[in-house]
Amino acid sequence: MKHILIGIFLMLLQIGHSQQVTNGFSMPESITSNGERFFVSSQGQDFMTKDGDGFISEISSDGKILNHKFLPSKGILNAPKGMTIVNNILFVADLDRVVGYNIKNRKTVFELVIDEAKLLNDICESENGFIAVTETVSGNIYKINIDKKSFEIIGNIPTANGVAYNQKTKQLLVCSNGENYGDGSVYLKTENSEFKELPNISNGFFDGIEWVDNEHIIISDWITFPVNGYGKLWVYDLKNQQSEFNITEESIADIYYDNTTSKIYMPQMFHNKVLISDWEQLSKNQNEINNLYNYGVIDAFIGGLYRGTLPIKDLKLKGDFGLGAPNMLNGELTMLNGRAYQTKATGETIELENNHLTSFASVTFFKADTTFVQNSSADKSAVLNTIEKMLPSKNKMYAIKISGNFDHIKTRAFPPVENEPFPKLANILDQQQFFDYENADGTLIGFFLPSYLNGINAGGFHFHYLSNDKKQGGHILEFNGKDLKIEIANLKTFEMETPNDNDFQNFEFIKTENESLRKVEQGKH
């Protein structure tokens, strides 16, 4: 599957290696084209206010501004967002109305006000004579009859944003921001079905969505809101229900994909830029994928610092895969595909809200470098020995995913702590709760870290478990299985952040005398 997706990327994006950048827009939100002419919508100073300062620019295929304020030639636009071109008519979503302009003579030829709308967002051509538009505040998806200037609601997805229609397959795609601005999803509707969420893609703050061909789509993802320096661009394989991503710059809004040139046009909303790139160029700047982000210090955690200080929402900016501890020790924290889960001492596993806090966590954006299958039946020791032999060096960091059917898995979780002073973790081992799962389908999420990180993190292997149905989990103690898929990602950089609360600032770390280090520091024999 990995090779199939990589092949798709190369097929999609083979031209050029440079990213073009065009400045001079005002909160650009959307880019569209009829294959010959390219247009960019600018919202002006505010994306929700009827202030009349929005406009549409025409650019060349390589991003040069041809006409800074091509539209409107008469009248006003307030905060134009999504656009689509149908028979030389440029339809624009502008807060509570859809406006159409003839791109040959720049005249206004269509206007439809939807009184109940507050934030019409993206728009696309649907079947003959119709367009579809999303409304983010209500979550409504509207189908508009162009000739009759009438509309109907064909679905509702909270915080609906990007929309795209496939004329050949009659499928409609919608992506969302998420009610907590980072837990959005991607949905697909066929002619005879309601919208269904697509599996195997992380939650995100999704914005633009485009068809590449009948089986593949690309989606822009802010990850969360507000932004924090970068986002993601996803490629999703509908047939195999698999996804891959590359890191992009932040606040990439409603993208446009040019099937002829394989270029991706990306409005960078908060930087007033338009970026034109290809997948190969994006792949050159993927440091975040190879980075291990460590929040907190494990010596402090096991010493009793269980109070959470980092929101899960912020943790998602640093990775979509990892493990850690929920607030007040209460169970085990596991992150997979951008979603965070808590396995409690009762055995219950739930998805965590973005405002939940963690006191210690290690995450990365997981992208495997090595994949193989453990064919023979093996227990934990045998599997980890096999993995260890494949690692190029024990002094490097690795993220590891093990998935499949497990004959048996044993996990544990701690109950929450309540009364201060909080006990050290070693003093409450008798409170652990153990869980045994048989014939379990799921994934082990973990790391192999070098011994020199001991104290900051835990050297060696460390895994948490999450079942496919997301109802079982915990810290791994034992497992055995057959035909297990093992994926290994080489991590090249390490980022550490420590809490700013008084508990951490005043925590007394145990001093260990290291005679060799002392001699070096003091210059003594």
Side-chain angles (χ1 to χ4, degrees):
M1 179 54 58
K2 178 181 177 183
H3 296 300
I4 293 173
L5 285 169
I6 290 174
I8 291 165
F9 299 154
L10 295 178
M11 174 191 73
L12 298 181
L13 308 153
Q14 289 177 337
I15 62 113
H17 301 294
S18 61
Q19 176 172 270
Q20 288 118 358
V21 180
T22 303
N23 296 282
F25 304 98
S26 182
M27 209 183 294
E29 206 282 334
S30 179
I31 300 176
T32 195
S33 172
N34 62 356
E36 297 177 356
R37 302 175 68 179
F38 294 78
F39 302 95
V40 181
S41 64
S42 284
Q43 300 170 95
Q45 296 300 308
D46 193 305
F47 69 93
M48 284 196 72
T49 302
K50 292 184 177 182
D51 49 15
D53 65 349
F55 60 94
I56 294 170
S57 304
E58 182 173 4
I59 63 172
S60 64
S61 60
D62 59 357
K64 295 177 183 176
I65 296 177
L66 302 178
N67 190 331
H68 189 239
K69 292 192 176 181
F70 176 73
L71 292 171
S73 59
K74 291 183 179 180
I76 63 170
L77 284 170
N78 294 302
K81 294 177 176 58
M83 301 180 293
T84 191
I85 300 174
V86 183
N87 298 327
N88 289 316
I89 307 301
L90 178 65
F91 291 93
V92 186
D94 187 27
L95 296 182
D96 63 349
R97 63 182 183 144
V98 174
V99 187
Y101 301 96
N102 186 316
I103 59 175
K104 291 184 175 182
N105 58 26
R106 301 168 65 195
K107 291 183 178 180
T108 304
V109 295
F110 180 93
E111 183 169 0
L112 174 66
V113 175
I114 301 177
D115 291 327
E116 62 197 37
K118 296 179 180 178
L119 190 64
L120 293 175
N121 203 322
D122 198 13
I123 190 170
C124 71
E125 181 181 7
S126 58
E127 60 260 44
N128 228 2
F130 292 87
I131 53 178
V133 60
T134 58
E135 205 283 332
T136 301
V137 174
S138 66
N140 287 336
I141 298 103
Y142 295 97
K143 181 179 177 181
I144 296 174
N145 186 315
I146 298 173
D147 294 330
K148 296 181 178 180
K149 289 189 178 180
S150 61
F151 62 87
E152 61 176 314
I153 297 173
I154 58 172
N156 182 277
I157 296 170
T159 66
N161 194 328
V163 61
Y165 183 74
N166 189 314
Q167 299 286 345
K168 292 182 179 179
T169 64
K170 310 298 182 185
Q171 293 172 306
L172 184 68
L173 290 162
V174 171
C175 61
S176 66
N177 301 153
E179 295 184 82
N180 295 304
Y181 307 110
D183 53 355
S185 298
V186 183
Y187 301 85
L188 178 69
K189 182 185 187 306
T190 63
E191 278 190 298
N192 302 316
S193 74
E194 300 301 315
F195 284 100
K196 295 182 180 179
E197 183 178 350
L198 296 181
N200 301 323
I201 183 170
S202 300
N203 283 136
F205 187 95
F206 297 114
D207 197 317
I209 189 165
E210 281 277 86
W211 287 92
V212 173
D213 55 35
N214 293 337
E215 295 180 352
H216 303 94
I217 57 177
I218 53 175
I219 314 115
S220 62
D221 178 7
W222 294 36
I223 302 177
T224 189
F225 186 89
V227 292
N228 192 33
Y230 57 91
K232 291 180 181 178
L233 188 67
W234 291 91
V235 171
Y236 189 88
D237 183 333
L238 286 165
K239 181 179 179 181
N240 297 291
Q241 297 187 328
Q242 296 292 328
S243 59
E244 281 278 6
F245 68 88
N246 264 345
I247 297 296
T248 66
E249 296 189 39
E250 69 179 18
S251 69
I252 300 299
D254 185 13
I255 55 178
Y256 173 75
Y257 174 72
D258 190 326
N259 292 88
T260 304
T261 64
S262 299
K263 288 183 179 180
I264 305 170
Y265 293 74
M266 301 174 284
Q268 192 178 12
M269 187 167 140
F270 285 170
H271 294 268
N272 300 325
K273 297 178 183 178
V274 166
L275 312 177
I276 305 173
S277 190
D278 55 56
W279 196 267
E280 189 171 349
Q281 174 62 29
L282 291 173
S283 299
K284 290 184 177 181
N285 186 24
Q286 300 300 299
N287 292 332
E288 296 294 341
I289 292 175
N290 298 315
N291 181 65
L292 176 63
Y293 172 77
N294 200 89
Y295 183 77
V297 177
I298 201 166
D299 274 358
F301 171 70
I302 65 176
L305 296 194
Y306 309 127
R307 194 186 309 279
T309 47
L310 180 75
I312 295 299
K313 180 178 180 179
D314 293 346
L315 190 65
K316 289 179 179 179
L317 285 169
K318 299 296 185 178
D320 56 13
F321 173 99
L323 45 77
N327 187 32
M328 303 304 284
L329 183 63
N330 190 10
E332 304 284 347
L333 185 156
T334 305
M335 184 177 285
L336 181 64
N337 295 328
R339 302 186 182 193
Y341 301 87
Q342 174 188 21
T343 299
K344 301 179 181 180
T346 60
E348 180 188 19
T349 295
I350 61 170
E351 185 171 352
L352 289 172
E353 299 289 340
N354 275 344
N355 59 2
H356 188 92
L357 302 174
T358 179
S359 55
F360 177 82
S362 302
V363 296
T364 188
F365 289 113
F366 188 86
K367 202 167 188 178
D369 300 294
T370 302
T371 301
F372 66 97
V373 176
Q374 171 82 31
N375 296 117
S376 59
S377 181
D379 61 10
K380 174 185 175 183
S381 177
V383 172
L384 298 190
N385 283 339
T386 298
I387 294 174
E388 192 167 0
K389 290 177 182 178
M390 296 194 66
L391 301 179
S393 170
K394 294 182 181 179
N395 291 327
K396 292 187 176 182
M397 304 172 294
Y398 307 91
I400 303 170
K401 182 192 296 185
I402 306 174
S403 55
N405 178 265
F406 297 87
D407 298 327
H408 173 251
I409 285 183
K410 183 174 184 178
T411 69
R412 70 101 196 274
F414 282 94
V417 294
E418 297 177 354
N419 301 317
E420 297 187 82
F422 300 137
K424 294 182 178 181
L425 201 60
N427 295 335
I428 55 173
L429 290 175
D430 59 336
Q431 297 182 29
Q432 297 176 90
Q433 298 298 309
F434 301 100
F435 313 103
D436 289 283
Y437 306 117
E438 306 294 332
N439 191 27
D441 294 313
T443 302
L444 308 189
I445 296 95
F447 299 95
F448 177 91
L449 301 181
S451 58
Y452 58 75
L453 286 178
N454 271 326
I456 294 175
N457 206 309
F461 290 103
H462 182 187
F463 287 95
H464 286 186
Y465 170 67
L466 187 67
S467 62
N468 286 351
D469 63 8
K470 311 301 187 292
K471 294 181 179 180
Q472 300 169 342
H475 172 88
I476 283 290
L477 298 174
E478 301 171 7
F479 70 85
N480 59 69
K482 183 181 179 182
D483 298 328
L484 300 176
K485 181 181 179 182
I486 299 171
E487 300 171 80
I488 303 172
N490 300 319
L491 305 180
K492 298 178 181 178
T493 57
F494 182 81
E495 179 184 358
M496 179 176 172
E497 184 176 354
T498 57
N500 289 320
D501 65 323
N502 290 331
D503 289 345
F504 183 85
Q505 302 303 323
N506 297 319
F507 184 80
E508 291 190 16
F509 290 91
I510 299 174
K511 297 180 177 63
T512 301
E513 180 66 23
N514 187 314
E515 186 63 21
S516 297
L517 180 59
R518 186 185 66 81
K519 288 180 179 180
V520 171
E521 290 294 321
Q522 296 181 359
K524 295 180 179 180
H525 295 290

